[in-house]
Amino acid sequence: MKKKELEIMLQSLSGFEKPKAWLEQYMTPPNVAADIIFLAYHLRDIKNKEIADLGAGTGIFSIGACVLGAKKIKAVEIDEDAINVMKRNLDTFQCENVDIYQMSVNDFSCNVGTVLQNPPFGSQRKHADLPFLEKAIRIGKVIYTLHNAVTIEFLERKIGDLKGVITHKIPYKFFIPRIYEFHRKEKVRRELVLLRIESGKIK
Ligand SMILES: C[S@@+](CC[C@H](N)C(=O)[O-])C[C@H]1O[C@@H](n2cnc3c(N)ncnc32)[C@H](O)[C@@H]1O
């Protein structure tokens, strides 16, 4: 499959019906998600791997990983409404190797080969991405994680403290739709950074 084909596939997914601001719910743009999943695929972090999709939302990373041959995917999401949309998306793509865990990432504890995540940035609650980062490094061998670019220096220190090693740092810019009451514009442009981290775990 080509990256463009995956992107087109992911464009057909249903998104959040009533996004919840306090959970920072928005869907990763399909071109960005396809890019990340393809990078992971080429670095041998997807095919036949056990994957955790933390804060899975409506399932874009889980479905991308499923389509590219992941062995098993654990989709962790706290919000039931998002999970209902994710279930429909999984049915559409006949992804039968995705198990849904309705819980907080704080309570999830299965070890996996690869973690994929686009955590809340902390625009509602400062450092809301930290529990995701800490959990991902604790359970995963390799982590792909998207963050607000302005926090990079803080994140680098934190990842060092957690004994993670950043192998890739890729900037992205994309628009987030106007889902929060405090946004006055229709879309808000965000500068993000994707980090690929190796935790040093053996699994
Ligand atoms: C920015 S959205 C990303 C959704 C999806 N992964 C994507 O890339 O389209 C963040 C997701 O994390 C979920 N979330 C927020 N806090 C959570 C927590 N403590 N445990 C599990 N999920 C959480 C939200 O409900 C939301 O679906």
Side-chain angles (χ1 to χ4, degrees), residues 66 89-97:
C66 160
N89 284 331
L90 291 171
D91 283 350
T92 305
F93 286 95
Q94 295 171 337
C95 288
E96 285 163 10
N97 59 346

Side-chain angles (χ1 to χ4, degrees), residues 16 24-28 55-57 60-61 77-78 104-105 118:
F16 295 98
E24 298 194 36
Q25 291 184 334
Y26 72 90
M27 193 160 116
T28 304
I60 194 163
F61 285 122
E77 171 56 54
I78 201 165
S104 168
V105 294
N118 176 6

Side-chain angles (χ1 to χ4, degrees), residues 148-166:
N148 197 349
V150 295
T151 63
I152 185 68
E153 286 175 14
F154 170 80
L155 292 170
E156 283 173 337
R157 279 198 303 278
K158 191 75 202 170
I159 291 163
D161 292 346
L162 295 165
K163 311 274 180 260
V165 175
I166 298 173

Side-chain angles (χ1 to χ4, degrees), residues 109-185:
S109 59
C110 300
N111 289 338
V112 293
T114 305
V115 175
L116 303 171
Q117 62 178 12
N118 176 6
F121 295 140
S123 51
Q124 294 283 316
R125 282 169 293 129
K126 204 169 178 215
H127 298 317
D129 50 349
L130 271 193
F132 280 74
L133 187 64
E134 288 169 351
K135 177 63 66 168
I137 293 178
R138 197 163 308 137
I139 64 167
K141 185 173 171 229
V142 181
I143 297 100
Y144 292 78
T145 185
L146 260 176
H147 297 270
N148 197 349
V150 295
T151 63
I152 185 68
E153 286 175 14
F154 170 80
L155 292 170
E156 283 173 337
R157 279 198 303 278
K158 191 75 202 170
I159 291 163
D161 292 346
L162 295 165
K163 311 274 180 260
V165 175
I166 298 173
T167 63
H168 294 64
K169 217 189 299 184
I170 301 172
Y172 286 99
K173 286 182 188 165
F174 58 76
F175 286 94
I176 295 177
R178 185 179 177 278
I179 50 176
Y180 306 135
E181 281 147 27
F182 59 82
H183 286 162
R184 272 169 290 144
K185 297 180 183 160

